Amino acid sequence: MKALAVRPGVKHSAHIAEMPTPRLSDIPGGRGVLVRTLQVGVDATDAEINEALYGAAPDGQDFLVLGHEVFGVVEEVGPNVTHVRPGDLCTCTVRRPGPTIYDLIGRNDVTSAETYYERGINLLHGFMSERFVDDAEFIVRVPDGLRHLGVLSEPASVCAKAIEQAFLAQHRLQVWQPEVAFVMGAGQIGLLTTMMLRLRGMRVYTVARTQNPGLKEEIVKAYGGEYVSTRETALADLVRDVGRPDLVVEATGSSRVAFECMEIMNLNGVLVWTSVTGGDNRLQDVPADRINLEWVLGNKLLVGSVNGNRHHFAQGLADLALGEATFPGVTERILTNPIDGYDDPAEIMKQLTEDRSALKVYVNVADA
């Protein structure tokens, strides 16, 4: 079986690898689910792994199959699988358990082990192949009515978890009623987060570099948010005009922006970082004393949020469904760059890294 893979640590090594065909018996205890892959999304994580910024191959192998955003259809299930059956549409979580207590209770998304396991990212093969098999614990059913948005299941889970983490953390305040939110970045994560925060009744400003007018602005406005280009309006000017945000979700992929967000938070506010920034950038102009003072006196909070568990996938799918009912046809506009098949790894990486108009690059592996 062919798969799209890289050699971790080797720049621009994306290639077609040969893999054994997965079998239901690969998963013990009758809990296996065999899935035919329909679509796989690719994002900045895949590009950065191909740039050798991070990522590791499974033990004993010299390549890593890419693809952590999967949408497929169940072909076969083991005798102890009850929540999905052949013919069901599905997605699959990304993180896998390690040795800590969090992993043992199903919270592998917050493992305290330094070594983490993520399919298509670190130490486990991903989903960019014709088929894959996994334990039923990690398989999440996708409703038939979301077939056209199934490839956004994993990104939606990231957004759902980021929002959940902010609200859970803010229980420390006993009463927290956020009104103004800034979403930094207008890629797939930024746009889906905008939609989810609008569903929760917040006034949302989605901040990115791309100038208006354009598709990003159109999608944000269709969700009822306001799009702000930093090439037209400085972040400090936006704060002056609309006030400090109670919640900021950072999804730019820029560590500089992530730290700049610390300067604009409202009192009792929370900042959620979702970017994973592989590299060695250093900042020398951060007003550290002022940030330290304002954050301590203002009871501000910073939370990091990574790939979620099946609960977050379920919440993300619920938000996608409510988003379709509330803003019909808007979310599908995020799916800008379909690619038929993964036989040309260079073209996939080219669209991912060079097409500045792309919101979502995804591979059609098989007909739905």
Side-chain angles (χ1 to χ4, degrees):
M1 180 181 70
K2 293 182 178 180
L4 174 61
V6 297
R7 297 181 182 87
V10 180
K11 285 188 175 183
H12 307 145
S13 62
H15 65 285
I16 300 299
E18 286 292 334
M19 290 279 294
T21 300
R23 300 172 300 174
L24 204 61
S25 59
D26 294 340
I27 305 298
R31 295 183 49 80
V33 179
L34 180 65
V35 178
R36 177 166 61 93
T37 307
L38 298 178
Q39 295 174 324
V40 179
V42 289
D43 66 2
T45 296
D46 301 284
E48 290 174 350
I49 293 173
N50 191 47
E51 288 288 338
L53 295 178
Y54 51 86
D59 289 344
Q61 301 192 40
D62 63 357
F63 68 90
L64 171 71
V65 176
L66 289 178
H68 58 281
E69 303 176 2
V70 68
F71 173 55
V73 59
V74 175
E75 285 199 328
E76 190 178 358
V77 300
N80 293 323
V81 177
T82 59
H83 74 289
V84 291
R85 59 185 181 182
D88 284 347
L89 300 175
C90 68
T91 185
C92 196
T93 65
V94 182
R95 282 217 167 191
R96 293 294 176 271
T100 75
I101 188 171
Y102 301 103
D103 303 292
L104 295 176
I105 64 170
R107 289 305 309 274
N108 34 289
D109 59 307
V110 292
T111 183
S112 57
E114 290 191 11
T115 300
Y116 62 95
Y117 298 85
E118 287 185 331
R119 293 200 63 158
I121 299 175
N122 202 57
L123 297 172
L124 292 173
H125 288 311
F127 304 112
M128 193 72 81
S129 57
E130 298 170 20
R131 287 172 174 79
F132 68 90
V133 67
D134 213 330
D135 191 290
E137 177 183 352
F138 310 117
I139 302 292
V140 181
R141 183 177 177 182
V142 175
D144 290 346
L146 290 179
R147 178 184 295 265
H148 61 305
L149 299 178
V151 75
L152 292 175
S153 299
E154 192 276 340
S157 76
V158 171
C159 306
K161 180 181 178 182
I163 295 169
E164 179 206 63
Q165 293 294 291
F167 277 83
L168 285 174
Q170 292 299 72
H171 278 304
R172 68 195 174 106
L173 302 175
Q174 295 180 284
V175 176
W176 188 59
Q177 297 177 330
E179 297 180 359
V180 177
F182 286 7
V183 176
M184 308 302 294
Q188 60 173 352
I189 300 298
L191 293 173
L192 291 173
T193 300
T194 297
M195 179 265 288
M196 293 180 186
L197 292 175
R198 287 293 300 135
L199 291 174
R200 288 157 177 79
M202 299 186 66
R203 187 153 46 101
V204 182
Y205 298 87
T206 306
V207 183
R209 289 177 298 177
T210 305
Q211 290 176 282
N212 300 326
L215 181 58
K216 293 179 179 180
E217 180 194 21
E218 292 175 6
I219 293 174
V220 170
K221 290 179 69 174
Y223 284 144
E226 183 170 332
Y227 182 85
V228 180
S229 169
T230 54
R231 294 185 180 181
E232 299 171 348
T233 304
L235 192 57
D237 292 336
L238 176 62
V239 171
R240 183 196 62 212
D241 293 341
V242 306
R244 289 176 174 261
D246 305 301
L247 169 64
V248 175
V249 178
E250 185 283 318
T252 64
S254 167
S255 56
R256 172 170 290 278
V257 173
F259 276 87
E260 287 176 350
C261 290
M262 299 183 75
E263 301 181 48
I264 64 170
M265 297 298 306
N266 200 2
L267 300 178
N268 291 342
V270 58
L271 166 61
V272 184
W273 283 354
T274 67
S275 293
V276 177
T277 50
D280 57 1
N281 289 334
R282 295 177 180 271
L283 303 178
Q284 297 181 346
D285 55 352
V286 175
D289 284 343
R290 179 167 61 82
I291 290 175
N292 191 145
L293 178 69
E294 292 182 355
W295 275 62
V296 172
L297 297 181
N299 297 302
K300 303 177 187 182
L301 183 68
L302 171 63
V303 177
S305 184
V306 296
N307 284 318
N309 58 38
R310 61 177 301 110
H311 161 75
H312 303 115
F313 273 74
Q315 182 59 59
L317 289 166
D319 283 335
L320 285 176
L322 183 56
E324 276 295 271
T326 309
F327 314 109
V330 177
T331 302
E332 192 171 6
R333 300 185 68 189
I334 296 173
L335 301 172
T336 54
N337 289 56
I339 299 174
D340 289 332
Y342 50 84
D343 291 331
D344 189 349
E347 178 60 24
I348 294 174
M349 292 300 164
K350 180 180 178 181
Q351 289 202 33
L352 187 58
T353 59
E354 298 183 14
D355 187 349
R356 297 304 178 188
S357 66
L359 295 179
K360 183 65 215 168
V361 180
Y362 62 101
V363 177
N364 291 316
V365 177
D367 293 335

